[in-house]
Amino acid sequence: MGTMPEGSSPSSPRTLAEALRSRGDEELAALLRARPDLLNPVPNDLGQLATRAGTRASVVRALERLDRFTLQTAEALAVAPDPAPYDTLRALLTGYEGDAAIEAALPHAVAVLRTQALIWGGDDRLRLVRTARELLTPSPTRPSPTGLGPTVAEATAGMSPTRLQEILAAAGLPSSHDPVSAVAALTSLFTDRTRMEALLDTAPPDALTVLDRLVWGPPYGEVTANPTPPVRWLRDRGLLLPASPRTVVLPREAALHLRAGRAHRSPEPVPPPVAPAATASITAGRPQVVDSTAAGQAYTALSTVEDLLKDWHEGGPAVLRSGGLSVRDLKRTATALDTTEQMAAFWLELSYAAGLLASDGEADERYAPTPAYDEWLTLPSAERWSLLATAWLTATRTPGLVGGQDAKGRTLSALGPDLDRSAALEVRRRVLDLLAALPEGTAPDPETLLARLRWERPLRGGGAAGQDANAARNAVSGGPTDLRSRIAAWTLMEAEVLGVTGRGALSTHGRVLLGGTGPAGSGDGARAPAGAEAETGAGQTGASPPAGTAAAGVGPSAEADTGTGGTSGAGSVRQAPYNAPYDVVSPASPASPASPAEGASGGSGAHGTATPGFTGEPDVHAAARALAPLLPAPLDHVLLQADLTAVAPGPLDRPLAETLSVLADIESKGGATVYRFTPGSVRRALDAGRSASDLHTFLATHSRTPVPQPLSYLIDDVARRHGHLRVGSASAYVRCDDDALLGEILADKRSQGLRLRRLAPTVLAAQADPATLLDGLRAMGYAPAAESAEGDVLITRAHARRTPPRTPPVPVPDGPPLPHGTLLGTAVKAIRAGDLAATVVRKPVPEPARNGELPRTTSAETLATVQAAAMTGSALWIGYVNADGAASQRVIAPVRVEGGFVTAYDHTADEVRTYPLHRITGVAELADDPA
């Protein structure tokens, strides 16, 4: 679409549908790519596509994906005359003084709006689609983000002619013969800079103070029944017009003059840069420091997940009836992992997203590791981390919400329902993309990062739709309150503890992981201005809205002064607060300088808004290869010490670690793990079937230091006493060859709870079950062993509990998926063909359609017309009813007629088809052949 004045062109589009018909196939594909919701189902023709593009739901979604400046452009067009020339739009954004940055960015913003069918028309007649205008135009119940009020004509609608004449007289204007002329005269005064300045020069200083309070919005103010002289002076001259008996409004034309012609207080044509953090100099130019730190965090993450699932090895906590983990169990998990409840929720959700943890589905439903966990344990450490990082990168479940409340006031629990947020995937990816755009080893300043996200998506997630119970908690702590900003903050924290970043900067293996998952629509979104980071999608992410906005209406913009305090002194006007918010938002960044023609053409094909998503799977193996050299190699030895401890100076081989965890208790973790040998831990190893000689051999083999004598004595002493007592089930009994030892047990007061009695010199019977009896005797300091009915010692091993095979949770998409090129090409062809059938000019038929019915011809007329068309190679219009009784109109070029069937090339379907003649209801020749 060019910049030729449309009024001078005979082909000037009168509707959005006509404007779409003038587009090429690439431009239609760009529209469908930017707004994929228009593609499901595929529209029958361009008229239906235009209708669908103007529906409220679709327009709101499109506006939500605009960046701040493109949205400001649409808002400025909404307060401009309809239609508005390009120069008028530019003046509303640059003001009287002009702005080179805005003039350079405006063509691209207009091109984005045109590509997305939010505006149409040439540069001399720019039109905002009706639904977008309704959403963005100021009204008393839905204020404009610009802070402007209604026009003079709108504010004086219904005003008496006498009152209009009084205003004209007070303003020094000649009287008119009718209200229309009076309104035109007042509008002309407010838009004439010279006369307006002369009028304001005569205003009392207090009157100017009142105007200063209203000029940037809200434009409405409350007045008393007997207003003060400054307010009365403004009201008499029409600078304040009545909106209700107690409310006045500043007309839009007067406000624009007071604003020096600007529709917005602070237009933002250029995205704010992401600045390095104050501590970035520590790692700047030293990516190896970042990588080593991130690798250490990655190793810790693996250990934490292993500890979590090992703790639930024999079955985890019960599942709540409403789903999820109870608060008590979450606290226990946090204690076991030595972390906070919020971080415990993150590790639980990460394990769940990776498919390593799920509920078992039993009657007494509990959480347990999945079979995939056992397979995961066999992988190298780098690959295990890569799988965790990939699950985190593509998940939409949001652990940060745990502990908050949903819309019904119910507490959100870990692993429970209602934790999916479709924006999480998009925001997480955008945050990491911005980190990747910084120099290697550079950490971002979080505030500038959030500011950038808010510019890219200024209003989405704001208001009621973007708030939840956690917002108040964050507000108290001084953090961001809108959901998208909080997701961004959580992303920075989670990336650090997971090892994707190190010291706040993106690691090398993190970059490799991102390299395999370019955002959908990459290259079809916004392009960054010179000097800015490259964009990966039009308005790919965004965050909090301007102050004073909420969902489903239009509220004041960020630049509007929304204070509601009463005025002091002579003003006596109290601004009326807005109570109706705004639900729409933004994509695309400003372009490099371009002419209006270039900006309006929209032909670059780089202005669409991509639906968030990934074009491919993360490169798991490449990320693992990048991380592997940074992780410590597993060790096959420990260092035994004389204080009954063993130090593992690094990660141990899995068999060694598993055996050692049975033989000793973990005392501390860190870069090195400290194990402590106790009588209880040695007994545990003996219960697992190891003999004393096995334990001595194991320690001698895997220790780089000699086995200390105290440890050897400990093993021998416990082994000597182990199994001396035997416990079986009678209910339960204890037998021992040493009857004196049994007498000692009976005499011990601690055994009273077991209710023991002697059946024979070497046998005691108990009314407790064998497990309770074993635990009681061990608590008394003995080392009993369980035995079978045959008298053999039972070997105690941990019983692994696993769920049935489970698939990881499926991410919740944010809208329809981005269509691929083949689908777009096919859809555009189908829409073109359907539009041809709907708009083609047909010759008159003997019986024209009545009441919207298909025209009818007799069977003989149908056969004769089809045969003639087959011989001449001409095209026909037909009415056709299929086997299901669905009627349609088609344009066909008959090729062969025989056996009661016509074989023809169907222009509507763009393929050769065969139709039964008896199902053709009517036929007509085309005035012009479609070919």
Side-chain angles (χ1 to χ4, degrees):
M1 302 178 65
T3 59
M4 178 188 298
E6 294 193 3
S8 63
S9 172
S11 60
S12 174
R14 295 168 298 175
T15 63
L16 177 59
E18 291 186 9
L20 293 178
R21 289 190 181 100
S22 67
R23 295 190 179 193
D25 288 352
E26 292 184 359
E27 292 173 304
L28 287 178
L31 168 61
L32 297 176
R33 185 183 298 109
R35 298 174 65 178
D37 56 296
L38 303 180
L39 197 56
N40 188 22
V42 176
N44 292 331
D45 52 47
L46 289 171
Q48 190 177 93
L49 176 63
T51 301
R52 194 177 296 175
T55 58
R56 181 182 177 90
S58 182
V59 170
V60 167
R61 180 174 178 82
L63 291 174
E64 285 180 344
R65 312 191 71 77
L66 300 175
D67 62 40
R68 189 180 297 279
F69 183 68
T70 308
L71 180 62
Q72 287 178 335
T73 302
E75 292 165 355
L77 196 57
V79 298
D82 185 29
Y86 179 87
D87 291 339
T88 300
L89 175 62
R90 178 175 56 195
L92 284 172
L93 289 167
T94 61
Y96 298 154
E97 300 177 357
D99 189 310
I102 293 177
E103 292 182 7
L106 183 58
H108 177 70
V110 171
V112 170
L113 294 172
R114 179 178 279 116
T115 298
Q116 299 190 30
L118 293 173
I119 65 172
W120 56 279
D123 281 351
D124 64 330
R125 294 176 65 82
L126 293 174
R127 291 180 180 271
L128 197 62
V129 295
R130 179 178 56 83
T131 307
R133 181 171 288 276
E134 291 174 354
L135 289 168
L136 300 175
T137 300
S139 71
T141 58
R142 191 174 58 234
S144 168
T146 61
L148 292 170
T151 62
V152 172
E154 294 168 345
T156 57
M159 184 178 289
S160 67
T162 302
R163 177 60 185 148
L164 284 172
Q165 298 302 320
E166 291 175 354
I167 292 176
L168 292 181
L173 298 174
S175 60
S176 62
H177 302 288
D178 57 85
V180 175
S181 302
V183 170
L186 195 59
T187 301
S188 176
L189 169 64
F190 292 163
T191 55
D192 188 321
R193 294 173 60 183
T194 303
R195 290 194 293 160
M196 189 66 172
E197 289 174 359
L199 175 63
L200 293 176
D201 286 342
T202 64
D206 290 339
L208 296 179
T209 301
V210 173
L211 292 178
D212 288 341
R213 294 182 62 87
L214 300 177
V215 62
W216 290 109
Y220 295 90
E222 294 181 359
V223 295
T224 61
N226 184 24
T228 57
V231 175
R232 190 180 302 115
W233 189 93
L234 294 171
R235 192 179 63 177
D236 291 344
R237 287 155 182 79
L239 291 171
L240 291 179
L241 293 173
S244 70
R246 299 291 298 272
T247 307
V248 293
V249 63
L250 177 64
R252 187 183 306 169
E253 294 85 353
L256 285 173
H257 175 83
L258 295 171
R259 296 179 175 198
R262 284 183 180 268
H264 297 84
R265 172 179 284 184
S266 302
E268 299 181 53
V270 179
V274 179
T279 58
S281 58
I282 299 175
T283 58
R286 300 170 62 197
Q288 65 277 8
V289 176
V290 171
D291 291 346
S292 60
T293 304
Q297 289 295 111
Y299 173 71
T300 302
L302 293 176
S303 301
T304 304
V305 172
E306 287 184 36
D307 291 343
L308 168 64
L309 298 179
K310 187 183 296 182
D311 190 44
W312 291 8
H313 182 70
E314 299 182 52
V319 180
L320 293 175
R321 182 178 302 175
S322 59
L325 197 66
S326 68
V327 175
R328 180 184 305 170
D329 289 328
L330 179 62
K331 289 181 178 179
R332 289 174 179 168
T333 303
T335 302
L337 297 179
D338 192 21
T339 186
T340 63
E341 294 176 31
Q342 199 67 34
M343 285 308 305
F346 168 69
W347 295 119
L348 286 169
E349 288 291 339
L350 178 64
S351 302
Y352 177 55
L356 308 179
L357 175 67
S359 60
D360 57 16
E362 300 293 338
D364 56 338
E365 195 172 16
R366 311 184 76 84
Y367 289 107
T370 65
Y373 167 66
D374 298 311
E375 299 177 8
W376 179 76
L377 285 176
T378 63
L379 298 175
S381 298
E383 291 189 22
R384 285 189 287 134
W385 175 88
S386 189
L387 290 174
L388 290 179
T390 301
W392 170 75
L393 186 62
T394 58
T396 55
R397 291 182 63 84
T398 311
L401 296 174
V402 172
Q405 294 181 336
D406 61 11
K408 297 181 179 179
R410 297 173 299 194
T411 300
L412 297 172
S413 58
L415 302 177
D418 302 325
L419 285 183
D420 280 291
R421 297 294 182 271
S422 56
L425 186 149
E426 178 190 358
V427 174
R428 186 182 299 118
R429 176 59 201 239
R430 187 62 186 134
V431 168
L432 296 178
D433 283 341
L434 290 174
L435 294 183
L438 295 172
E440 291 189 6
T442 302
D445 176 40
E447 291 301 321
T448 61
L449 181 67
L450 293 180
R452 175 61 173 269
L453 295 177
R454 294 188 184 103
W455 184 92
E456 291 179 347
R457 198 66 64 79
L459 300 183
R460 187 169 187 185
Q467 304 290 342
D468 57 28
N470 281 3
R473 183 175 65 184
N474 279 47
V476 172
S477 62
T481 58
D482 67 282
L483 178 61
R484 297 177 71 88
S485 293
R486 286 187 287 130
I487 291 176
W490 292 331
T491 296
L492 294 175
M493 180 270 294
E494 293 167 0
E496 187 72 19
V497 299
L498 189 55
V500 176
T501 60
R503 299 195 178 186
L506 190 63
S507 63
T508 300
H509 48 275
R511 292 176 187 271
V512 174
L513 185 71
L514 293 179
T517 55
S522 192
D524 297 310
R527 53 191 175 93
E533 298 90 353
E535 300 292 322
T536 58
Q540 193 74 6
T541 306
S544 69
T549 64
V554 178
S557 64
E559 55 270 29
D561 180 5
T562 56
T564 58
T567 58
S568 59
S572 260
V573 176
R574 181 170 62 85
Q575 281 186 313
Y578 286 141
N579 53 15
Y582 169 63
D583 170 18
V584 291
V585 205
S586 87
S589 63
S592 55
S595 67
E598 292 169 340
S601 68
S604 68
H607 310 298
T609 304
T611 298
F614 294 163
T615 57
E617 291 298 321
D619 198 341
V620 178
H621 299 295
R625 288 193 298 270
L627 176 62
L630 303 173
L631 293 177
L635 302 177
D636 62 354
H637 65 273
V638 294
L639 305 176
L640 296 178
Q641 302 186 105
D643 60 350
L644 297 181
T645 61
V647 177
L652 299 177
D653 283 329
R654 183 157 306 281
L656 172 59
E658 290 177 351
T659 303
L660 196 59
S661 64
V662 175
L663 179 57
D665 297 323
I666 297 178
E667 189 169 77
S668 66
K669 288 187 173 182
T673 304
V674 178
Y675 295 85
R676 179 165 292 280
F677 299 94
T678 65
S681 68
V682 174
R683 179 198 50 76
R684 187 170 61 227
L686 295 173
D687 286 342
R690 298 289 185 118
S691 64
S693 60
D694 292 339
L695 299 182
H696 286 300
T697 302
F698 170 80
L699 294 176
T701 302
H702 294 286
S703 176
R704 287 290 178 87
T705 58
V707 178
Q709 195 176 52
L711 179 56
S712 298
Y713 287 170
L714 174 65
I715 294 174
D716 292 338
D717 182 56
V718 174
R720 185 168 45 254
R721 294 184 292 114
H722 182 263
H724 199 46
L725 293 175
R726 298 294 184 89
V727 175
S729 56
S731 288
Y733 64 83
V734 182
R735 70 179 181 87
C736 180
D737 294 336
D738 186 355
D739 57 350
L741 179 58
L742 294 181
E744 179 184 336
I745 294 174
L746 281 173
D748 196 323
K749 293 182 179 181
R750 292 176 295 176
S751 68
Q752 292 179 358
L754 301 176
R755 292 192 290 178
L756 299 170
R757 61 190 179 89
R758 189 186 293 269
L759 296 180
T762 58
V763 180
L764 297 179
Q767 296 186 20
D769 59 272
T772 303
L773 183 55
L774 282 168
D775 292 339
L777 292 175
R778 286 167 182 167
M780 294 168 62
Y782 299 99
E787 71 175 10
S788 66
E790 291 76 20
D792 299 325
V793 175
L794 293 176
I795 297 175
T796 305
R797 290 192 177 94
H799 173 66
R801 183 168 181 170
R802 295 292 182 264
T803 70
R806 293 281 192 261
T807 57
V810 179
V812 177
D814 184 14
L818 185 72
H820 53 78
T822 303
L823 175 60
L824 286 176
T826 304
V828 169
K829 283 185 178 181
I831 295 171
R832 289 280 192 204
D835 195 62
L836 173 63
T839 60
V840 69
V841 180
R842 300 183 290 269
K843 289 183 179 180
V845 294
E847 295 183 14
R850 298 186 301 273
N851 299 326
E853 297 178 357
L854 296 176
R856 301 256 177 195
T857 57
T858 65
S859 299
E861 291 172 337
T862 299
L863 179 59
T865 305
V866 170
Q867 288 176 334
M871 289 186 292
T872 60
S874 58
L876 298 175
W877 171 92
I878 66 170
Y880 181 74
V881 178
N882 65 14
D884 297 327
S888 61
Q889 302 178 21
R890 299 178 178 276
V891 176
I892 66 171
V895 177
R896 183 174 63 255
V897 182
E898 60 183 10
F901 293 87
V902 54
T903 302
Y905 176 77
D906 190 333
H907 289 275
T908 308
D910 195 23
E911 64 182 5
V912 175
R913 290 185 174 181
T914 300
Y915 298 99
L917 285 171
H918 69 275
R919 293 193 179 278
I920 298 178
T921 61
V923 63
E925 298 178 10
L926 302 184
D928 295 303
D929 196 301

